[in-house]
Amino acid sequence: MAENHKFKRVLLKMSGEVLMGEQQFGLDPATVNRVAEDIKEAVESGVEVCVVVGAGNIFRGVSGAAQGMDRTTADYMGMLGIVINALALQNALESIEIQTRVMSAIPMSAICEPYIRRKAMRHMQKGRVVIFAAGTGNPYFTTDTAAALRASEMNCDAMLKGTKVDGVYNADPKKDKTATRYDRLSYMDVLTKDLKVMDATAISLARENSIPILVFSILEKGNFDKALKGEGPHTIVSD
Ligand code: GTP
């Protein structure tokens, strides 16, 4: 690991929306490739990286349910959306010579490996980027919760949440010009102030396992590596 990196093994959580770039829907190949380059930079400096991605760019279970779909069916459709994003990211990473393994919480062996914790550990130790697909495999759980779960199982030193905003603010910075970014928050602050960093289940899991959550903007090139060094604008949630 490069000396100036604060963490040896991390989980990168990205929302599906990040992967659609400027589009309203789906995948923007240029953005997926850019994110892959950022991950490559971290991997080449010796950090072990695993990834959990959402599916809001393809299908959002909660919205499906709001429109009258059965919630469990809508959530399973969301999980399939994650598999699409995982394969896109795998393809982008392997095209720039980064070894990856996609592991799905819902077995679909013709497409990727099933999730087996000990095998995932071995892949990471060998420097492969493990992309966890299909969330937790269960309806009613968010991809944030899947990220906290996998980060705990993989003994990650931190969870990095790559979003479209460069941290957590006391108000919506897009709507309120006076909104200020928190540098540091406790898990309890996030829960009691309802700060929407991640849902309460994910925050509780991270807290129980003492995994810090670093929120940063993944929209600009190089920010992931900067965040790993504790540089650039971000908010850190820890004890
Ligand atoms: P090592 O244990 O380090 O050899 O890991 P490995 O992943 O290279 O070994 P393995 O022989 O298990 O896998 C070889 C290739 O097959 C890799 O690209 C895996 O992603 C892929 N693979 C392994 N299991 C499955 C599976 O159940 N489904 C699919 N689709 N691919 C798999």
Side-chain angles (χ1 to χ4, degrees):
M1 179 174 63
E3 259 176 30
N4 43 2
H5 283 97
K6 291 174 74 179
F7 311 109
K8 163 127 187 65
R9 177 181 292 173
V10 298
L11 184 143
L12 171 65
K13 161 71 187 21
M14 267 184 299
S15 64
E17 281 93 340
V18 164
L19 299 180
M20 66 189 183
E22 297 296 309
Q23 298 172 185
Q24 296 300 307
F25 174 81
L27 287 154
D28 172 41
T31 306
V32 181
N33 291 340
R34 226 252 22 259
V35 169
E37 290 283 356
D38 278 7
I39 296 173
K40 178 179 176 145
E41 192 180 1
V43 171
E44 288 190 335
S45 62
V47 180
E48 292 177 16
V49 181
C50 56
V51 183
V52 166
V53 63
N57 56 325
I58 294 172
F59 188 83
R60 195 174 268 290
V62 177
S63 315
Q67 286 164 34
M69 277 189 81
D70 169 57
R71 169 74 193 261
T72 50
T73 304
D75 280 349
Y76 281 121
M77 289 170 69
M79 287 181 238
L80 292 176
I82 298 174
V83 178
I84 294 174
N85 284 338
L87 294 179
L89 191 59
Q90 173 173 52
N91 184 74
L93 282 164
E94 298 210 329
S95 72
I96 51 173
E97 318 294 333
I98 293 295
Q99 282 202 49
T100 65
R101 294 291 184 266
V102 174
M103 301 189 114
S104 173
I106 299 174
M108 41 185 99
S109 349
I111 299 175
C112 57
E113 294 184 37
Y115 172 66
I116 298 166
R117 189 185 76 90
R118 292 171 65 110
K119 200 150 167 69
M121 284 287 213
R122 292 292 294 141
H123 287 323
M124 290 197 71
Q125 286 159 359
K126 288 178 183 175
R128 296 164 183 158
V129 172
V130 179
I131 306 167
F132 296 115
T136 66
N138 298 294
Y140 302 104
F141 290 96
T142 63
T143 42
D144 280 347
T145 300
L149 174 66
R150 295 292 184 244
S152 304
E153 289 183 284
M154 292 297 118
N155 299 331
C156 288
D157 302 318
M159 225 188 324
L160 277 83
K161 181 161 168 153
T163 67
K164 292 180 165 183
V165 188
D166 62 3
V168 185
Y169 284 74
N170 61 353
D172 185 346
K174 287 192 187 117
K175 293 181 192 149
D176 184 348
K177 292 270 171 282
T178 65
T180 51
R181 192 183 64 243
Y182 296 103
D183 285 334
R184 193 165 270 282
L185 286 164
S186 70
Y187 301 108
M188 280 315 280
D189 286 337
V190 173
L191 292 173
T192 54
K193 294 184 180 143
D194 194 20
L195 286 173
K196 314 260 184 269
V197 176
M198 284 187 163
D199 62 89
T201 315
I203 297 287
S204 303
L205 206 49
R207 179 176 179 232
E208 236 166 73
N209 295 296
S210 304
I211 299 173
I213 305 165
L214 206 144
V215 185
F216 72 104
S217 165
I218 199 163
L219 291 188
E220 293 88 40
K221 183 163 176 47
N223 271 6
F224 180 44
D225 197 60
K226 274 194 199 150
L228 289 169
K229 293 174 182 154
E231 295 170 1
H234 62 267
T235 299
I236 190 151
V237 182
S238 61
D239 263 332

